Amino acid sequence: MINKPRVGRTEALHLLPSAMTVLSICAGLTSIKFALDHKPIPAMALIAVAAILDALDGRVARILDAQSRMGAEIDSLADSVNFGVTPALVVYVTLLSKWPVGWAVVLLYAVCVVLRLARYNAQQDDGTLPPYAKEYFVGMPAPAGAVSMIGTIGLKLQFGEGWWTSVWALSLWITGTSLLMVSAIPMKKFHTLAVPPNWAAPLLAVLAIAAAAAVLEPFILIWVIIISYVCHIPFAVRSKRWLAKHPEAWEDDNKQRRAARRATRRAQPHRRSMARLGLRKPGR
């Protein structure tokens, strides 16, 4: 008799991750409703809410040990709705409904999100991938693609009409985002990054600044996030290439990896200079 309420509470807690996923779907679909009502700001806010819930539901499931196959399938469907269908329709209704080519580019984006998620799910069951591959996404993740999409609306709301709202500029940006998602370019999983203790205070200060910017200049903040993410791509590519050549360093922390890279560069001091000059080693 005493244990029954505890069992009931445990079962209810196990439903929490799936409930958060369903709420994220509701937020995404309601975002479309606000876009149809010509209210882009609430529509963008609800996409952000859906992204936050998507980031939390998996972590809550792991904390509660409530992971299940059904939960994983619901989460994948939620991602396709929240980060594929919803941003495509919101951008189309807000910016591109006057041009026939607008539907083509948002359709391309939605299809690329579905393909990207299908590839991600397939790779989860692929036992042939090296261990260091767990630190990287293959292609741009769907939430980052959604941020890139709503950033186009943010430019119009911040600066009004301009070349950035032309159908060709929007089509080029959306097509580029779509191709990045289905590309094989590695992108770092930020939750795998280890923060050194001496970086904690500066990062908290940056977080406080970001919180203030989210209230005062939210559209500028969106583009700071987009530009920062794009700038990290070359470093992610370089990092994965180095790990591919030194897989034994995967279990080392970031400090040890940096030391190993410095040692490699010192061992081959002439290599970078020759590459810059386009020189090759003389043949035998």
Side-chain angles (χ1 to χ4, degrees), residues 69-145:
R69 182 65 182 176
M70 180 178 177
E73 294 296 333
I74 294 174
D75 186 67
S76 183
L77 291 172
D79 289 347
S80 64
V81 171
N82 296 334
F83 308 130
V85 176
T86 294
L89 289 177
V90 170
V91 170
Y92 176 75
V93 170
T94 306
L95 299 175
L96 292 170
S97 59
K98 297 179 182 178
W99 297 285
V101 71
W103 180 248
V105 294
V106 298
L107 186 64
L108 172 66
Y109 169 81
V111 170
C112 286
V113 170
V114 173
L115 293 174
R116 190 254 176 275
L117 292 171
R119 181 177 63 183
Y120 175 79
N121 291 338
Q123 288 174 339
Q124 295 298 102
D125 301 325
D126 188 356
T128 63
L129 294 175
Y132 62 81
K134 298 177 182 179
E135 293 188 9
Y136 302 89
F137 291 111
V138 179
M140 179 182 285

Side-chain angles (χ1 to χ4, degrees), residues 112-210:
C112 286
V113 170
V114 173
L115 293 174
R116 190 254 176 275
L117 292 171
R119 181 177 63 183
Y120 175 79
N121 291 338
Q123 288 174 339
Q124 295 298 102
D125 301 325
D126 188 356
T128 63
L129 294 175
Y132 62 81
K134 298 177 182 179
E135 293 188 9
Y136 302 89
F137 291 111
V138 179
M140 179 182 285
V147 174
S148 177
M149 289 288 283
I150 66 174
T152 58
I153 303 175
L155 281 178
K156 180 179 180 180
L157 295 176
Q158 182 72 34
F159 301 109
E161 299 285 345
W163 62 266
W164 50 86
T165 58
S166 69
V167 63
W168 301 114
L170 291 170
S171 298
L172 183 63
W173 181 262
I174 295 171
T175 301
T177 299
S178 304
L179 295 178
L180 274 177
M181 286 192 296
V182 295
S183 71
I185 299 174
M187 303 198 185
K188 191 74 174 177
K189 293 181 180 179
F190 289 105
H191 64 268
T192 64
L193 293 175
V195 179
N198 57 333
W199 286 21
L203 285 177
L204 289 175
V206 171
L207 181 61
I209 294 171

